[in-house]
Amino acid sequence: MQVSLTEIKFDSNGLVPAIVQDAETNEVLMMAYMNQQSLQLTLEKGETYFWSRSREELWHKGATSGNVQHVIELRADCDADTLLIRVHPAGPACHTGNRTCFYREFGP
Amino acid sequence: MQVSLTEIKFDSNGLVPAIVQDAETNEVLMMAYMNQQSLQLTLEKGETYFWSRSREELWHKGATSGNVQHVIELRADCDADTLLIRVHPAGPACHTGNRTCFYREFGP
């Protein structure tokens, strides 16, 4: 079943959450937010673009670090309000240098 | 690196996004939101609980369908504002009957 850009439901801030997954290992790498422009750029350029909520600016992942994410597949969920982006990462996803941002386990 | 419940950053609506991943296949199954109560219940009961934004109520995944999700591992990301829950699902994650909610591919 296909989905198109116009069907994506952006929230009241104009954003949609995007889960980034390694297309080879299936590891979940990070989650970030896209506005319409960053989603359009991601589709056009084949690399991930997000909207940085903290910096309030368009964010080309890897533009400064070199750790771009090559898009292999872009999916939406049943109600088109969450994206799943399967990528080949050129380097670690996390600003801490970890391969994935999800390196913190729940403990006591 | 460990993380505890008190470190989780809930948003202005008291919610945190939770990505649910199959612990065996690594398939991303769904994304939903947790408030503090549902996260606490998930940790205590070992099955996923969410906050349904549409129904505005606590939601025990699978309570009616039987498709509960047994929690294998619970992780948070670097800045503790997104959760990753690795589960053994008792059945399809999606209300459509699909194994995963992310069955829609971007098309032209």
Side-chain angles (χ1 to χ4, degrees):
Chain A
M1 187 180 171
Q2 286 202 328
V3 67
S4 66
L5 183 58
T6 54
E7 290 175 87
I8 298 302
K9 289 180 201 136
F10 295 94
D11 69 12
S12 57
N13 296 313
L15 300 177
V16 63
I19 302 162
V20 182
Q21 184 180 31
D22 190 310
E24 216 153 305
T25 65
N26 284 324
E27 188 170 38
V28 176
L29 301 176
M30 56 182 281
M31 201 194 79
Y33 293 83
M34 290 186 171
N35 62 7
Q36 190 164 345
Q37 187 194 5
S38 62
L39 175 52
Q40 237 155 357
L41 280 166
T42 299
L43 287 164
E44 279 170 30
K45 308 278 188 184
E47 296 183 357
T48 54
Y49 288 75
F50 302 99
W51 177 257
S52 168
R53 297 180 304 168
S54 53
R55 296 192 306 271
E56 294 188 343
E57 61 180 23
L58 190 73
W59 163 35
H60 176 202
K61 174 74 183 166
T64 50
S65 66
N67 300 329
V68 297
Q69 296 170 330
H70 300 284
V71 177
I72 303 303
E73 195 179 23
L74 218 156
R75 292 177 165 270
D77 69 345
C78 46
D79 46 8
D81 64 1
T82 307
L83 304 175
L84 177 65
I85 306 172
R86 292 173 50 81
V87 304
H88 281 164
C94 192
H95 71 286
T96 57
N98 280 282
R99 201 174 60 243
T100 168
C101 290
F102 294 96
Y103 58 87
R104 303 179 72 178
E105 283 177 71
F106 267 72
Chain B
M1 186 179 171
Q2 286 203 329
V3 68
S4 65
L5 183 58
T6 54
E7 291 175 87
I8 299 302
K9 288 179 202 139
F10 296 92
D11 69 12
S12 57
N13 297 312
L15 301 176
V16 62
I19 302 162
V20 182
Q21 183 179 32
D22 189 310
E24 214 153 306
T25 65
N26 284 325
E27 188 170 38
V28 175
L29 301 176
M30 56 181 281
M31 199 192 80
Y33 293 84
M34 288 184 171
N35 61 7
Q36 190 164 343
Q37 188 194 6
S38 62
L39 175 52
Q40 237 154 357
L41 280 166
T42 299
L43 287 164
E44 279 170 30
K45 308 278 189 186
E47 296 184 356
T48 54
Y49 288 75
F50 302 99
W51 177 256
S52 168
R53 296 180 305 168
S54 54
R55 298 193 304 272
E56 296 186 342
E57 61 180 25
L58 190 72
W59 163 34
H60 177 202
K61 174 74 182 163
T64 51
S65 67
N67 300 328
V68 297
Q69 297 170 330
H70 300 283
V71 176
I72 304 302
E73 195 179 24
L74 218 157
R75 293 178 164 270
D77 70 345
C78 46
D79 45 8
D81 63 1
T82 307
L83 305 176
L84 177 65
I85 306 174
R86 292 172 51 80
V87 304
H88 281 165
C94 193
H95 70 288
T96 58
N98 281 281
R99 202 174 59 244
T100 168
C101 290
F102 294 96
Y103 59 87
R104 304 178 71 177
E105 283 178 69
F106 267 72

